[in-house]
Structures are given as C-alpha cells and as structure tokens.
Amino acid sequence: SIEAADDHVVVHDETATPTRAQAVFAITRRASTTRRCCLLLLLALCTTISFIVTHDLHTSIPRLFGIKSSALSIEPVCLSTELSHDEHTVSVDQMDLNRVATAFSKRLSSYAIQSTGFEWDERDAKTSKWRPQGVTTLHASHHHYHHQQQQPFEEESKSSDASLQHGERYVLTSWYERKEDGYAGRGARISFVNVTDMQQTNSYSYRHVLLVDSNFCTLPGIHVGGIEYQRELLHVVDSRKGMQSVIEFDVHNDLYELPQEMRDEMFGYRYVLVASASFHVPTKPSF
C-alpha cells in the first residue's frame, strides 16, 4: 500500500513480512509434512523388519517375541485307514524316484579342492512353499532291510563298512512347510537323492517322502532344522513349543508306500516315513 505524507511517500510491502496467521499456517504445514515423512519411514522400517523376520529368520513376529496364537496352531492330517506293515512297507532302493537333480562340479578358488553337488529340479528350486533345512547321508544295502534285532555296535559297523561297496548311497535333505504360502498341515518331508554314481553322472534321481508320526499323522509346525542318520535310524529334531525332542525314523523298516486311493489324504505323496520312537532333550535342539 502507498501512504502520502507532507514531504514524502511511504510504501508498505505487505508481502515482505508475513502476518501472524500466515506464520502459524506455515509452521503447521511443515509439522504435518514432517509427521507424514516420519510415518512413511516407520512403515518402511516395519516392512523391512517383517521381511527379514519371515524370509531370513524363518519365523513370524508373534513367534519372535514368544507370543502364542491360536491362529498358529494347525491340526495334523491323518490317514483314515491303518496300513498293514508287511503289505505296504518298501525298502529305499525300491522307491520310484520321480524327480531329477542336475549335477555340478566346481573347483574352489585357487585351491586344489574339487566340489561336487547338485541342483534341485526347477519346481523345487523355485518353490516358496517348502524350505530345505537339514542334510545327512545314508548307505543302503539289501542286508540292512527288515532287521529283527539291533546288532551290536561293533558288528554293525563292520557290516555297514562292507555294504559301501555294494549298496547305494543317498543324500537326505529335510524340508519344512511354509504356512505363509498355504502349505499348513503338511509338516515336513525328506528328499532321498541317489548319489551312488556321483563321479560318473550328470544327474541324480530323487523323491520326496512325507514324515508322519506313529499314527500316520503329519507333523505340522516342525522345523526339521537338523537331521542325522546313524545306526540305521534317521534322527530328526523337533523344536516345536512344548516338544523339545528328537524323533527316530526307522528308514529300513517303516517306509510305507500308500495305496493309490489313499494318496490324496496325504497331499498326493506316494511314500510316507513313519516315526518309530522319540525322546526328550533338556535343551532346544534346533532354532
């Protein structure tokens, strides 16, 4: 605005100095923008933490803080009919291995160490519904199957050593279900990979076998973070809350082939491995 005086003219620039209302509005707007930025940063942080927990630590937020939720409790799936042991058990080498893994060989760095291994087929390599965990090895021979009594350790060791020349060699890998991907209730499975001719082949046949308890029920929620084959038994750790045990599976006596009409009850699996015993351990056996 312009104000005339007797000997001069005064010009007032009203835009140069903001009014009190304008200043308050500007401060409020900046505060609102800051709050929005903070909320966005907090949301991004929570999303990142959730991703790390579920994908890298293989757990959920409630379980991370020890919160037990009824939504996390999954009922096992059981066979409707009891199977005859003599009619339905098979040996490992009698299984129909229906998948093929690709072999690879690679020299480690500049050292004279040659590594040999395999890659899962495309379905298993890309799946988010199962996650591999423990690894062990097994040597199978015909004289191992359907033993009636446990041999003394020294005698068994000698016979096991002799079987290496004639039996087949397997890599066993455990997988656990991913409830987040809709596979709750399946529990765990073991992959039997035939690596007998590891130096002379470009591929290995393998098969997934579902783990069940002595009642032919799945083991939902089990992590199978560690497995070990020893003295003809497969030992699988069970770190589920309230369990804290090691489950034994008699691979050579309790491997069942399901009849065709019963496989849909076990999610299409042809073979199940039935638990024979379990024992409690004083500390948590797996993460």
Side-chain angles (χ1 to χ4, degrees), residues 74-168:
I74 306 298
E75 291 297 321
V77 176
C78 305
L79 279 180
S80 59
T81 305
E82 185 176 349
L83 295 178
S84 167
H85 181 275
D86 294 335
E87 294 180 5
H88 294 96
T89 53
V90 296
S91 62
V92 174
D93 64 349
Q94 290 175 331
M95 280 198 301
D96 177 22
L97 306 183
N98 62 340
R99 302 197 180 203
V100 178
T102 303
F104 72 81
S105 181
K106 183 178 180 181
R107 186 175 298 276
L108 299 179
S109 187
S110 58
Y111 300 98
I113 301 176
Q114 191 73 17
S115 65
T116 303
F118 59 85
E119 299 175 350
W120 303 110
D121 77 358
E122 185 176 5
R123 291 169 295 176
D124 294 324
K126 293 183 177 181
T127 185
S128 61
K129 301 181 183 300
W130 292 94
R131 186 156 288 166
Q133 287 296 302
V135 179
T136 188
T137 57
L138 176 153
H139 292 88
S141 64
H142 293 292
H143 79 270
H144 274 143
Y145 301 116
H146 305 290
H147 58 82
Q148 298 299 322
Q149 296 180 347
Q150 185 71 35
Q151 298 176 353
F153 182 72
E154 293 183 0
E155 180 182 349
E156 179 187 330
S157 299
K158 293 178 181 178
S159 64
S160 297
D161 291 339
S163 72
L164 302 185
Q165 301 176 4
H166 307 290
E168 294 185 325

Side-chain angles (χ1 to χ4, degrees), residues 59-274:
T59 185
S60 62
I61 296 295
R63 285 183 173 178
L64 184 66
F65 292 98
I67 301 174
K68 186 175 181 180
S69 171
S70 59
L72 297 177
S73 178
I74 306 298
E75 291 297 321
V77 176
C78 305
L79 279 180
S80 59
T81 305
E82 185 176 349
L83 295 178
S84 167
H85 181 275
D86 294 335
E87 294 180 5
H88 294 96
T89 53
V90 296
S91 62
V92 174
D93 64 349
Q94 290 175 331
M95 280 198 301
D96 177 22
L97 306 183
N98 62 340
R99 302 197 180 203
V100 178
T102 303
F104 72 81
S105 181
K106 183 178 180 181
R107 186 175 298 276
L108 299 179
S109 187
S110 58
Y111 300 98
I113 301 176
Q114 191 73 17
S115 65
T116 303
F118 59 85
E119 299 175 350
W120 303 110
D121 77 358
E122 185 176 5
R123 291 169 295 176
D124 294 324
K126 293 183 177 181
T127 185
S128 61
K129 301 181 183 300
W130 292 94
R131 186 156 288 166
Q133 287 296 302
V135 179
T136 188
T137 57
L138 176 153
H139 292 88
S141 64
H142 293 292
H143 79 270
H144 274 143
Y145 301 116
H146 305 290
H147 58 82
Q148 298 299 322
Q149 296 180 347
Q150 185 71 35
Q151 298 176 353
F153 182 72
E154 293 183 0
E155 180 182 349
E156 179 187 330
S157 299
K158 293 178 181 178
S159 64
S160 297
D161 291 339
S163 72
L164 302 185
Q165 301 176 4
H166 307 290
E168 294 185 325
R169 301 173 64 241
Y170 292 85
V171 168
L172 274 55
T173 303
S174 62
W175 307 64
Y176 73 89
E177 63 181 10
R178 290 279 294 162
K179 291 184 289 295
E180 295 82 352
D181 291 285
Y183 261 40
R186 288 164 172 78
R189 67 185 185 185
I190 299 290
S191 299
F192 286 76
V193 187
N194 191 327
V195 294
T196 304
D197 300 320
M198 202 161 194
Q199 305 299 329
Q200 292 85 28
T201 185
N202 294 321
S203 62
Y204 309 107
S205 299
Y206 68 98
R207 180 114 199 184
H208 301 311
V209 175
L210 198 65
L211 295 183
V212 295
D213 63 18
S214 57
N215 296 315
F216 289 86
C217 297
T218 60
L219 306 170
I222 192 171
H223 192 72
V224 289
I227 61 174
E228 172 69 19
Y229 176 78
Q230 186 178 30
R231 300 187 69 183
E232 302 186 0
L233 295 175
L234 176 65
H235 300 83
V236 176
V237 297
D238 185 359
S239 58
R240 289 176 294 178
K241 189 175 180 63
M243 300 296 184
Q244 207 165 286
S245 61
V246 175
I247 307 175
E248 293 180 341
F249 295 85
D250 190 337
V251 177
H252 307 295
N253 284 301
D254 293 327
L255 178 61
Y256 283 73
E257 181 176 7
L258 301 180
Q260 181 68 46
E261 64 274 12
M262 300 181 66
R263 294 173 190 174
D264 286 343
E265 299 181 28
M266 289 285 104
F267 309 100
Y269 281 82
R270 180 173 176 177
Y271 302 96
V272 296
L273 184 58
V274 181

